[in-house]
Amino acid sequence: MLYKNIKKYIYFLIVLTAPVLFEQCGAGKILTSSKNEHEIFINDNEAKIIPAPVYDKYTGTIFSLTPSAKIYIDPSSLPIKKIALYLQSKLRPSTGYTLDIADNFPNLLYGNIYLSIISSDSALGSEGYKLTVSKDSIYLRAFKPEGLFRGVQTIRQLFPSAIESSSKRYDNWNIESRIIIDYPRYRWRGAMLDVARHFFSVKDVEKYIDILALYKINVFHIHLTDDQGWRIMIHSWKNLAEYGGSTATGGDPGGYYTQKDFSEIVDYAKDRYINIVPEIDMPAHTNAALASYAVLNCDGKAPHLYGGTNVGFCSLCLDSPITYTFLDGVIKELAAITPGNYIHIGGDEARTLAIPKYAGFIDKVEKIVHKYGKKVIGWEEIRNAKVDSGTIVQFWANSNLAKAAAKAGMKLVLSPASKIYLDMKYDSTTTIGQNWAGYVTVKTAYDWDPLDFVDDSTEKNIVGVEAPLWTETIKTLSDIEYMVFPRILCAAEIGWSQKSRKNWNDFAARLSLQGSRWNIMGVNYYKSKEINWIK
Ligand code: TNX
């Protein structure tokens, strides 16, 4: 008992003093590259990982992974085994080591990796972890499996980039010894993908999700419906997918997910501790639905399918009872295949509707979502309704209004378009994407903070941040990757790392190492001149 209390005391002492200690011992130097004018900020002994951890201390030796290493787990439960298998699948191809999984947890020795749940460590929260890399072992502890999974991403990033290779490499699988204590600033660190303007296969979506996991993203918001396409099979309204999903922007090929496909994506994400938030956009952005069923239109006439890029030109018929029968059916089926708490109801750009009418609609839909046991998230326009205290409002265009929403007690996710819309061009030479919110350089995507949009006193109402990718001009997985990498890492760091760790030069230096990792992983990315990419 006494021992336990002492342990707890020491732990809190470390956590509380860590940032101070870190500031003092971590002062870096600024080097100037001879090749060009870029300054590289090298913080010699700091962990070169993204997002930056809360506490990180170099302890002076080197750990080497050897062919006989094993991954030990404690307890030997299914979730922990799955995490060990995941780690094994990431390390085995490049090292060529078998990295067998064992559960007879011995003393920490002989180059092994240890994954352990410490049930007394509730201070770490569900995503936090403690990582001790010493000469002899890698010892990762967390309060919850989710924390172990996040810590595993840190281990991956601490190894040389070649660790990501899908074939055997002869590298020194070394890590500088260190202690890391880490946990997130916000509980919602999201990426949104629009699969309505262009459709992406299950495999493409999974590849994207897999890379997001490496940066501790934990929400994947999938924008399933819009004017140009309906991408999820709803059995009680089959035409939505079969007809409404048959095409895409510019007349490009359409497609839709069967409910089995959708569940496959959900499970794939779940194995990576990423929650899927499906979006059915309404009452505007519904041309594909209106074209699929004439009864959904106030005049009873179905419009043509739409392949353009205008927004806000149509709406469901809010006075018609069938509209709510329809939405009840859609939300019922979607809620049944969505294990997460949230359904996104869109709500953006309903330009044909007066605000009171729009607000009344949102209130009704909120009740339907609650009826099926889920909570609501919607774009910033839904703040005009009397939203429930559990509802999240996602700010995008008019972040200035976020302050008032937070004051009124609403929960917020921040996606300021001029900072973190991933479909914005990097600069005038970018050949895909848009620029209505301006150009978004890597530095622009990094140089903002959620507290720029609310008062300190209402920070508690910020649930997190999310980086959306709209796909009017994005047609392939390679296009997605080009727009997303590296900017999604800015969102990942803003969402996870403490504000005190924020430093562009330091981030840019850590980011410069990710390019070689992406080259090895076969991930396309924008080789921004703002970053001095290291080969
Ligand atoms: C605005 S952001 C939209 C989308 C477009 C996007 C293009 C939001 C809630 N609505 O419908 O695709 O701009 O950047």
Side-chain angles (χ1 to χ4, degrees):
M1 186 65 195
L2 181 67
Y3 171 70
K4 253 193 171 164
N5 280 336
I6 291 173
K7 239 177 85 183
K8 225 180 193 165
Y9 175 74
I10 291 174
Y11 172 68
F12 275 108
L13 204 69
I14 291 178
V15 169
L16 293 177
T17 54
V20 183
L21 288 174
F22 180 77
E23 293 280 296
Q24 285 176 356
C25 60
K29 349 176 169 132
I30 294 181
L31 301 178
T32 306
S33 158
S34 52
K35 279 201 216 92
N36 58 35
E37 74 287 4
H38 292 293
E39 280 187 332
I40 327 173
F41 186 88
I42 301 286
N43 206 334
D44 288 333
N45 294 321
E46 113 181 325
K48 308 290 187 300
I49 64 169
I50 293 177
V54 175
Y55 172 75
D56 165 36
K57 190 174 186 306
Y58 172 57
T59 52
T61 61
I62 301 265
F63 166 85
S64 294
L65 192 70
T66 55
S68 60
K70 287 187 178 166
I71 302 175
Y72 284 94
I73 57 171
D74 176 36
S76 177
S77 63
L78 188 62
I80 315 303
K81 250 186 207 150
K82 275 182 121 171
I83 293 168
L85 281 168
Y86 168 94
L87 178 60
Q88 185 191 62
S89 76
K90 295 295 180 193
L91 306 185
R92 194 184 257 181
S94 52
T95 60
Y97 306 161
T98 52
L99 296 165
D100 290 334
I101 294 163
D103 53 14
N104 54 332
F105 216 78
N107 291 330
L108 305 174
L109 267 180
Y110 311 126
N112 294 318
I113 300 175
Y114 299 84
L115 308 181
S116 165
I117 294 289
I118 308 284
S119 50
S120 57
D121 247 353
S122 61
L124 283 172
S126 55
E127 291 189 279
Y129 65 91
K130 280 197 251 183
L131 177 65
T132 309
V133 179
S134 60
K135 192 166 177 298
D136 292 326
S137 64
I138 295 180
Y139 185 24
L140 177 63
R141 284 155 290 176
F143 178 56
K144 293 277 181 199
E146 202 177 347
L148 280 185
F149 187 83
R150 305 292 174 233
V152 157
Q153 308 314 319
T154 298
I155 295 174
R156 284 173 72 189
Q157 287 194 37
L158 289 174
F159 277 115
S161 316
I163 201 78
E164 303 296 342
S165 172
S166 55
S167 56
K168 194 168 168 178
R169 295 282 188 115
Y170 294 92
D171 211 314
N172 290 324
W173 306 113
N174 295 345
I175 299 182
E176 288 182 337
S177 67
R178 58 200 332 110
I179 297 169
I180 290 178
I181 301 170
D182 202 11
Y183 45 83
R185 182 176 175 195
Y186 294 112
R187 73 171 162 94
W188 187 297
R189 304 175 306 280
M192 188 216 81
L193 179 66
D194 169 11
V195 297
R197 270 52 177 274
H198 279 99
F199 180 67
F200 300 93
S201 69
V202 173
K203 285 282 156 280
D204 283 354
V205 171
E206 288 178 351
K207 184 178 176 207
Y208 182 32
I209 289 175
D210 192 42
I211 309 165
L212 292 174
L214 180 54
Y215 302 104
K216 303 186 173 80
I217 294 287
N218 68 347
V219 172
F220 187 71
H221 166 185
I222 183 162
H223 181 80
L224 287 168
T225 69
D226 214 301
D227 295 317
Q228 298 85 347
W230 185 285
R231 309 293 179 206
I232 177 81
M233 169 51 77
I234 300 294
H235 294 295
S236 53
W237 296 80
K238 281 193 156 50
N239 280 356
L240 293 169
E242 286 176 354
Y243 179 69
S246 63
T247 179
T249 307
D252 287 334
Y256 64 85
Y257 305 117
T258 62
Q259 294 197 0
K260 199 164 155 271
D261 289 337
F262 182 78
S263 297
E264 186 185 322
I265 294 173
V266 166
D267 290 344
Y268 187 90
K270 207 168 160 202
D271 284 346
R272 284 152 186 77
Y273 292 86
I274 292 178
N275 187 31
I276 299 281
V277 175
E279 176 181 352
I280 303 292
D281 204 349
M282 63 182 94
H285 289 275
T286 41
N287 191 79
L290 296 168
S292 305
Y293 287 98
V295 287
L296 296 178
N297 296 269
C298 284
D299 63 4
K301 284 191 206 133
H304 293 297
L305 291 171
Y306 180 72
T309 55
N310 288 337
V311 291
F313 57 86
C314 65
S315 171
L316 293 170
C317 185
L318 303 202
D319 297 326
S320 161
I322 191 107
T323 296
Y324 302 95
T325 312
F326 162 74
L327 290 173
D328 190 284
V330 169
I331 291 166
K332 180 181 180 184
E333 288 191 35
L334 190 63
I337 51 174
T338 301
N341 288 334
Y342 286 93
I343 300 277
H344 202 300
I345 61 166
D348 54 318
E349 300 173 315
R351 293 183 182 156
T352 62
L353 299 172
I355 287 183
K357 192 161 187 176
Y358 165 87
F361 170 82
I362 297 295
D363 287 338
K364 278 190 189 166
V365 176
E366 192 175 60
K367 289 199 177 71
I368 300 176
V369 173
H370 291 168
K371 178 175 154 196
Y372 293 108
K374 301 295 177 190
K375 293 181 182 175
V376 168
I377 172 167
W379 295 109
E380 68 191 26
E381 289 89 334
I382 70 161
R383 74 186 185 285
N384 291 310
K386 293 193 292 289
V387 296
D388 180 84
S389 61
T391 293
I392 297 175
V393 184
Q394 184 170 10
F395 279 86
W396 61 283
N398 204 339
S399 308
N400 300 333
L401 299 171
K403 205 171 266 189
K407 274 218 171 91
M410 293 180 193
K411 293 197 164 60
L412 270 50
V413 163
L414 294 168
S415 303
S418 60
K419 305 287 181 192
I420 203 66
Y421 260 31
L422 301 177
D423 62 322
M424 291 303 120
K425 291 172 187 277
Y426 290 94
D427 61 30
S428 61
T429 65
T430 313
T431 54
I432 49 177
Q434 311 204 38
N435 64 358
W436 64 261
Y439 297 123
V440 176
T441 64
V442 182
K443 189 166 193 289
T444 306
Y446 186 76
D447 259 351
W448 66 281
D449 187 82
L451 284 182
D452 301 342
F453 300 101
V454 299
D455 293 333
D456 287 3
S457 64
T458 48
E459 184 181 14
K460 63 178 187 316
N461 290 359
I462 298 178
V463 177
V465 299
E466 191 175 292
L469 180 65
W470 302 99
T471 58
E472 286 94 335
T473 63
I474 314 293
K475 299 186 184 190
T476 63
L477 177 61
S478 169
D479 290 347
I480 293 180
E481 292 173 348
Y482 183 80
M483 298 307 270
V484 163
F485 300 105
R487 291 181 294 191
I488 191 87
L489 278 71
C490 303
E493 179 142 315
I494 291 167
W496 178 282
S497 305
Q498 300 299 305
K499 199 179 175 200
S500 56
R501 280 303 315 262
K502 191 119 185 239
N503 179 310
W504 161 253
N505 289 326
D506 178 60
F507 175 77
R510 283 178 284 120
L511 182 55
S512 69
L513 296 163
Q514 296 298 318
S516 61
R517 209 165 273 266
W518 295 331
N519 291 337
I520 289 164
M521 293 165 86
V523 174
N524 190 20
Y525 63 100
Y526 171 62
K527 294 165 192 66
S528 167
K529 293 201 179 72
E530 302 161 89
I531 306 299
N532 200 3
W533 301 101
I534 292 174
K535 295 249 163 51

